[in-house]
Amino acid sequence: MNGGARIARVLHERGVSEIFTLCGGHISPILVEAKRIGIRITDVRDEATAVFAADAHARLTGIPGVAAVTAGPGLTNTITPLKNAQLAQSPVLVLGGATATALKKRGALQDIDQMPLMAPHVKYARAVRRVRDLAPAVVEALEAAAAGVPGPTFVECPVDLLYDEEIIRGWYADSMPRGNGLADKAIRAYLGWHTDRLFSGGDKMPRPAELPEPVMPRPESMRDIAARVARAERPVMVCGSQAMNRPQEAEQVRAAIEQLGIPVYLSGMARGLLGKEHPLLFRHRRRDAIKGADLVILAGVPCDFRLDYGKQIRRSARLVSFNLSRRDLRLNRKPDDGLLADPGICLRQLAEAMDGPAPPRAAWLAELGERDAAREADIDAKAAVSGAGVNPLRLCREIDAVLPDDSVLVADGGDFVGTASYTVRPRGPLRWLDPGAFGTLGVGGGFAIGAARARPGSEIWILYGDGSLGYSLIEFDSYVRHGMAPIAIIGNDACWAQIAREQVKMLQDDVGVRLARTDYHRAAEGLGGAGLVITRDEDVAPTLARARELAAAGTPVLVNVHLAETDFREGSLSI
């Protein structure tokens, strides 16, 4: 087997069924050999999209996502999505091409020192220099990606390790000097030795895979926490993406939350865990709930900016934290009970450790329910306001009304997506994808592609701001070529609204934040998709119905929604 085949075989044996890529000569053997043994190759229009797609696929399946990109600029284009995967704790493997080993640092095309660029953003990085080390490096990278705190990894694969030995020996032979001088003879001897070394020991394959063991809590610690939970009168839980670290066990985590009987706020990949509606599920005024709690459980959630760096939690409240990351476990606020363990497993064991059914806590649940109901009524009242253009709250309410149970939501934007995050309800676990703590714009196209591959029967919705759309609009070409049919909803308010809101208010200047009411739907049509436009509230429902019909027929759809204009000096409907 050549090097490309070795990599493909290792991936296949370890459950990888997809590679996301933008082609390049440095990586062609990997793609060809992977396709040959049944791994599907999904080529996209930007290397960032390939990594975002691998990220989304990993989140939804629990298997490390794999992206293959060419050397130099192909690899540098992955830095942002790799950093996003690192901060979102997603297991991703990037296979990066590189120039031939004998040409390193000699001015070859796209040859840069790639390892220092990648090392800060990954858990594991290795530059392979011999064919026999390719497969072991990929095994180590896959295991590292999934172990402990999940995250991205990188393996550099020089082009002369990937092709057939005969071809590579021919390349080096053709490049050898023909003279009889001492220098020419020395070069020929070196290249002969170098080629022999590249392929020596190439008949060896790596050790068997070692599945990472989940990080387990101590039973005695869990019994103590269970006793405190049972005594709490006003407990609150915030459950995040780490609780979904083992996607196949999502229903067991859901059952544990139900058994604990604790009101819960869901974030990240945990959104939808309790379905569209549930007596324990709350969405609004989380800050007030946390401030009023006598016990707070953080399941895979750090005390970062989203919790005001821990300031939302009263000092008199008992703080319980489950986290895979030692740093995140203690970030900004040391928990009273902190377990360095898998949050999903912790919740299940906590439920098992409870002595009898959960206390009713009727008054506390009623208080939180009244707050939620009041906020929902306020949203309904604002959604009923009509004006020039489409009310974003009305649009989100209409989207929520037609979402099928088997749908996946991709969130890519600022102001409009912020509105959608508290009005559009994912229907089940692992049905909401957002960038995570890094707040990266541009995830939409890649996340949609990864979701379509992981959930081929699901209806994929992308919620875009008109600013974020600019990063991945071109991927409509990829949707068409690969038979994908997402529905992309564009909240088009002709500006970078989230930035404008503060900038105009504080600095009285809109420089750099204004956009045009661009006909994005026509661009989608030019790329082979369907384009629809909505300019009035009354057109929202019938246009969404038409979009779903087109998607069901296999056509990707872009719905360009002209949102109501906003005077940022006076606030916005999306607040």
Side-chain angles (χ1 to χ4, degrees):
M1 291 186 291
N2 63 31
R6 291 167 181 274
I7 291 172
R9 177 175 164 182
V10 168
L11 295 175
H12 188 265
E13 289 177 349
R14 283 147 183 84
V16 174
S17 60
E18 310 277 350
I19 293 178
F20 303 95
T21 190
L22 195 159
C23 67
H26 293 94
I27 58 170
S28 293
I30 298 175
L31 306 182
V32 170
E33 297 295 343
K35 176 187 173 185
R36 184 171 293 164
I37 64 171
I39 297 176
R40 182 162 48 186
I41 307 300
T42 301
D43 61 299
V44 297
R45 299 298 301 272
D46 187 286
E47 287 88 358
T49 296
V51 179
F52 284 134
D55 181 344
H57 196 271
R59 297 190 199 190
L60 294 177
T61 65
I63 299 171
V66 178
V69 301
T70 197
L75 193 66
T76 59
N77 283 344
T78 70
I79 296 295
T80 295
L82 270 175
K83 195 67 181 183
N84 192 81
Q86 183 188 53
L87 294 180
Q89 300 175 349
S90 293
V92 172
L93 166 60
V94 171
L95 300 171
T99 193
T101 54
L103 297 179
K104 291 290 290 182
K105 299 182 179 180
R106 295 188 62 200
L109 176 66
Q110 298 179 336
D111 177 32
I112 59 172
D113 192 358
Q114 298 180 149
M115 298 304 288
L117 285 174
M118 304 301 284
H121 315 295
V122 297
K123 295 178 64 180
Y124 171 98
R126 182 173 176 182
V128 182
R129 293 294 178 259
R130 303 174 74 175
V131 171
R132 71 180 188 184
D133 295 329
L134 280 170
V138 173
V139 170
E140 291 171 4
L142 289 171
E143 291 177 353
V149 181
T153 57
F154 170 64
V155 177
E156 182 182 86
C157 309
V159 65
D160 54 345
L161 305 188
L162 301 179
Y163 282 85
D164 291 345
E165 181 175 354
E166 182 180 356
I167 293 174
I168 300 303
R169 288 190 179 278
W171 285 355
Y172 280 122
D174 290 344
S175 66
M176 290 181 183
R178 305 301 180 188
N180 292 319
L182 184 60
D184 291 342
K185 290 180 179 178
I187 292 173
R188 288 198 295 270
Y190 170 77
L191 289 176
W193 169 85
H194 181 81
T195 307
D196 289 341
R197 186 175 183 276
L198 289 181
F199 294 100
S200 65
D203 56 335
K204 297 179 180 178
M205 286 298 286
R207 56 178 169 75
E210 295 180 7
L211 296 177
E213 292 292 328
V215 184
M216 306 290 286
R218 299 187 307 275
E220 61 275 13
S221 300
M222 203 55 72
R223 286 193 292 270
D224 292 341
I225 295 171
R228 294 187 181 99
V229 169
R231 293 193 298 269
E233 297 178 357
R234 298 165 65 87
V236 165
M237 181 190 304
V238 184
C239 186
S241 295
Q242 276 193 13
M244 298 290 97
N245 191 42
R246 301 164 71 82
Q248 69 277 13
E249 298 175 3
E251 288 301 328
Q252 295 168 264
V253 177
R254 172 193 172 105
I257 292 175
E258 291 176 329
Q259 185 175 342
L260 289 168
I262 298 176
V264 62
Y265 293 83
L266 301 174
S267 65
M269 291 300 296
R271 286 177 182 262
L273 179 59
L274 298 185
K276 178 181 175 181
E277 294 177 320
H278 193 282
L280 295 174
L281 176 61
F282 299 90
R283 293 183 173 84
H284 306 301
R285 297 182 64 180
R286 184 179 75 178
R287 177 197 300 264
D288 293 337
I290 292 174
K291 285 186 175 181
D294 59 3
L295 182 142
V296 177
I297 297 177
L298 301 182
V301 177
C303 286
D304 61 10
F305 67 94
R306 291 166 290 188
L307 292 178
D308 284 347
Y309 310 98
K311 291 183 290 185
Q312 291 181 9
I313 304 167
R314 293 184 302 169
R315 288 294 171 185
S316 60
R318 190 84 185 183
L319 175 58
V320 178
S321 183
F322 308 138
N323 208 292
L324 286 165
S325 165
R326 188 177 301 276
R327 175 182 180 274
D328 288 352
L329 185 68
R330 298 171 175 267
L331 184 65
N332 296 313
R333 174 77 182 265
K334 182 180 178 181
D336 299 292
D337 300 290
L339 296 185
L340 186 66
D342 185 298
I345 294 175
C346 285
L347 291 177
R348 288 158 51 192
Q349 292 197 0
L350 179 59
E352 293 171 1
M354 295 293 289
D355 186 13
R361 304 185 179 103
W364 177 229
L365 290 170
E367 180 181 334
L368 297 177
E370 288 171 4
R371 291 177 184 170
D372 257 33
R375 178 59 173 141
E376 287 292 330
D378 179 57
I379 293 170
D380 285 339
K382 290 181 177 179
V385 176
S386 296
V390 175
N391 182 326
L393 286 169
R394 168 79 175 272
L395 170 62
C396 290
R397 285 294 203 218
E398 295 282 3
I399 292 172
D400 185 67
V402 301
L403 272 183
D405 288 342
D406 191 13
S407 56
V408 177
L409 291 158
V410 174
D412 185 11
D415 202 66
F416 171 60
V417 169
T419 299
S421 69
Y422 62 80
T423 52
V424 181
R425 297 168 293 180
R427 298 312 199 241
L430 303 168
R431 297 192 177 277
W432 173 277
L433 290 162
D434 64 30
F438 204 31
T440 307
L441 294 182
V443 302
F447 275 16
I449 289 169
R453 289 307 196 205
R455 301 280 179 82
S458 296
E459 196 170 272
I460 311 296
W461 290 67
I462 317 173
L463 305 177
Y464 275 119
D466 52 341
S468 62
L469 174 67
Y471 292 91
S472 63
L473 174 58
I474 190 62
E475 298 305 340
F476 264 79
D477 171 81
S478 301
Y479 308 149
V480 172
R481 289 185 296 107
H482 294 295
M484 302 172 182
I487 301 169
I489 307 294
I490 317 305
N492 187 349
D493 54 9
C495 68
W496 298 90
Q498 197 171 64
I499 308 304
R501 192 175 311 285
E502 296 298 324
Q503 179 176 312
V504 174
K505 178 182 177 181
M506 297 178 67
L507 302 175
Q508 294 79 52
D509 198 317
D510 65 358
V511 61
V513 300
R514 292 293 178 184
L515 298 171
R517 292 275 187 183
T518 301
D519 288 340
Y520 300 113
H521 54 289
R522 298 192 184 279
E525 291 172 344
L527 292 167
L532 304 174
V533 63
I534 303 175
T535 59
R536 306 180 304 166
D537 285 335
E538 53 265 38
D539 294 333
V540 171
T543 306
L544 292 181
R546 177 57 180 156
R548 294 189 67 203
E549 290 174 358
L550 289 165
T555 302
V557 188
L558 187 151
V559 184
N560 188 7
V561 186
H562 289 203
L563 299 182
E565 293 187 6
T566 301
D567 182 348
F568 291 109
R569 293 167 297 182
E570 299 181 1
S572 166
L573 285 168
S574 63
I575 288 294

